[in-house]
Amino acid sequence: MITSQKATCSYAKVSKNCHPEELRCGSRQWSCASADQCVPDSWRCDGQRDCRDGSDEAACAPEKCGSSEFQCRSSACLHLSLVCDGKEDCADGSDEGGQCSASACGQVQCSHTCYRSPRGPICACEQGFELKSSGGSCEDVDECRRSGGRPCSQTCINTEGSYRCTCHPGYLLEPDGHTCKATGTEPILLVAIQFNLLLYGLRSLKEDILAATDKNLVIFSIDYDLLDQKVFWTELGAESIKWISMDAKKKGTVVKGIKSDCMVVDWIGRNLYWTDGTAGQILAIQLTAVWRGKPEYTIVLGDNLNQPRSLALDPLNG
Ligand SMILES: [Ca+2]
Ligand SMILES: [Ca+2]
Ligand SMILES: [Ca+2]
């Protein structure tokens, strides 16, 4: 089970004469009654105590009960089946007595179910239906158009009393019935942790070591070439860029005798770029030339660069 805990930031500056300075909350914050703590607006009346003095949960509007629930006078909600059952379930006992004993349900027309209550008979609907604004008849809830969160990750089809989710071509509905996931081979996350290059299967959560560096040198930069199914990396302090095939059957060196901080692959233009922070240069090498055995590189940018550290490409736009 995952539990979540909210983190609060409180600011209380104390000045020399020991009177706390007045705390000013931001525009989207709520000031606790104690005036020494601010919480996000959305934490007000969310059912969880966030102010140390609990003032964010004080004087909140009473809870709105569901369609098959009864509101106690104390504002708590109770399932209708517990109302008029001869046992006090509301803290104040307001679910018993009144018109409970009367056989009132015989006089009203409810399309699904009728419950007795101290305030008289109440019509209720089965799951997936709600009472029409007037009368005792029930109508289907359109879950697909309901405000407050879409129930399906792609297409939602409303049905009488329920709904179902479908997926676009190329996607498969997960067993939860709501989420669509891309079909085909399993998506892989490529990760470098210290001196290991890892492949994480995002569905199977399987972890494979694709490569490990020779002298326990930390892997500094990684990228991959989708077309050739190759992974490239640089190691901290090593003067080369290395590669390995995704099936780990082949590996080699792209270029030697260089210094590289960050390295990226242009999988469309078939070039590999890197930065040399010390020399203040961005360099490139043609991958097709590398595979032909001619690893000759060029300086792409070398003027007015002061310690370039990072590099990003936009291959689609060249
Ligand atoms: Ca709260
Ligand atoms: Ca009861
Ligand atoms: Ca429905």
Side-chain angles (χ1 to χ4, degrees):
M1 193 177 76
I2 298 168
T3 56
S4 67
Q5 229 174 359
K6 293 171 186 170
T8 56
C9 293
S10 54
Y11 325 86
K13 285 185 195 162
V14 179
S15 54
K16 274 178 195 161
N17 55 10
C18 281
H19 289 301
E21 275 179 26
E22 192 192 339
L23 177 75
R24 278 207 207 116
C25 293
S27 61
R28 289 179 187 173
Q29 288 184 317
W30 194 77
S31 170
C32 299
S34 57
D36 65 348
Q37 203 185 357
C38 297
V39 296
D41 271 340
S42 57
W43 293 6
R44 166 103 177 105
C45 293
D46 68 345
Q48 208 177 328
R49 247 175 96 106
D50 297 296
C51 291
R52 279 184 293 271
D53 58 11
S55 56
D56 60 311
E57 295 302 317
C60 296
E63 198 184 337
K64 200 169 176 284
C65 296
S67 60
S68 55
E69 287 180 319
F70 173 80
Q71 189 141 35
C72 301
R73 244 195 317 268
S74 61
S75 91
C77 297
L78 198 68
H79 193 267
L80 280 169
S81 60
L82 296 171
V83 179
C84 294
D85 65 348
K87 203 174 132 258
E88 290 189 357
D89 294 289
C90 292
D92 55 9
S94 58
D95 61 314
E96 300 297 328
Q99 300 178 45
C100 269
S101 54
S103 55
C105 270
Q107 294 148 29
V108 288
Q109 295 243 308
C110 296
S111 64
H112 285 178
T113 323
C114 177
Y115 287 99
R116 289 178 296 149
S117 93
R119 295 165 216 156
I122 297 173
C123 291
C125 301
E126 286 159 19
Q127 206 180 352
F129 293 88
E130 61 191 355
L131 274 180
K132 278 191 180 172
S133 44
S134 63
S137 56
C138 298
E139 63 183 356
D140 169 59
V141 174
D142 188 346
E143 291 85 352
C144 302
R145 286 163 184 260
R146 202 177 219 178
S147 56
R150 299 185 319 156
C152 303
S153 72
Q154 287 184 357
T155 317
C156 180
I157 299 167
N158 184 42
T159 62
E160 189 72 3
S162 186
Y163 67 95
R164 65 191 162 87
C165 301
T166 59
C167 301
H168 301 313
Y171 291 83
L172 212 64
L173 193 63
E174 290 280 287
D176 67 6
H178 299 92
T179 322
C180 297
K181 283 226 171 133
T183 54
T185 52
E186 184 181 24
I188 299 283
L189 183 67
L190 178 65
V191 190
I193 299 176
Q194 290 192 323
F195 31 82
N196 287 327
L197 201 56
L198 307 168
L199 298 175
Y200 276 109
L202 291 182
R203 286 192 201 124
S204 61
L205 303 180
K206 216 173 116 229
E207 176 189 318
D208 279 322
I209 295 182
L210 180 64
T213 59
D214 293 337
K215 297 163 198 159
N216 281 1
L217 293 172
V218 172
I219 295 176
F220 195 65
S221 180
I222 52 173
D223 203 358
Y224 65 94
D225 176 10
L226 202 64
L227 290 184
D228 267 0
Q229 291 282 297
K230 285 188 176 91
V231 175
F232 299 82
W233 77 93
T234 61
E235 294 158 10
L236 198 62
E239 297 188 341
S240 62
I241 294 172
K242 292 182 178 163
W243 67 272
I244 188 164
S245 58
M246 293 282 261
D247 58 8
K249 285 182 180 154
K250 288 180 196 162
K251 58 181 179 177
T253 304
V254 177
V255 59
K256 281 180 189 162
I258 54 114
K259 282 204 171 89
S260 165
D261 296 302
C262 179
M263 175 256 342
V264 282
V265 176
D266 176 358
W267 56 279
I268 295 178
R270 317 301 302 151
N271 294 316
L272 187 146
Y273 294 81
W274 69 92
T275 55
D276 181 336
T278 318
Q281 289 172 338
I282 295 174
L283 306 99
I285 193 164
Q286 268 191 332
L287 287 175
T288 43
V290 172
W291 312 137
R292 280 202 309 267
K294 289 183 179 159
E296 288 166 6
Y297 57 90
T298 51
I299 299 166
V300 180
L301 274 175
D303 296 330
N304 303 321
L305 280 184
N306 189 13
Q307 299 184 3
R309 282 267 161 221
S310 189
L311 196 60
L313 292 182
D314 183 2
L316 287 179
N317 290 311

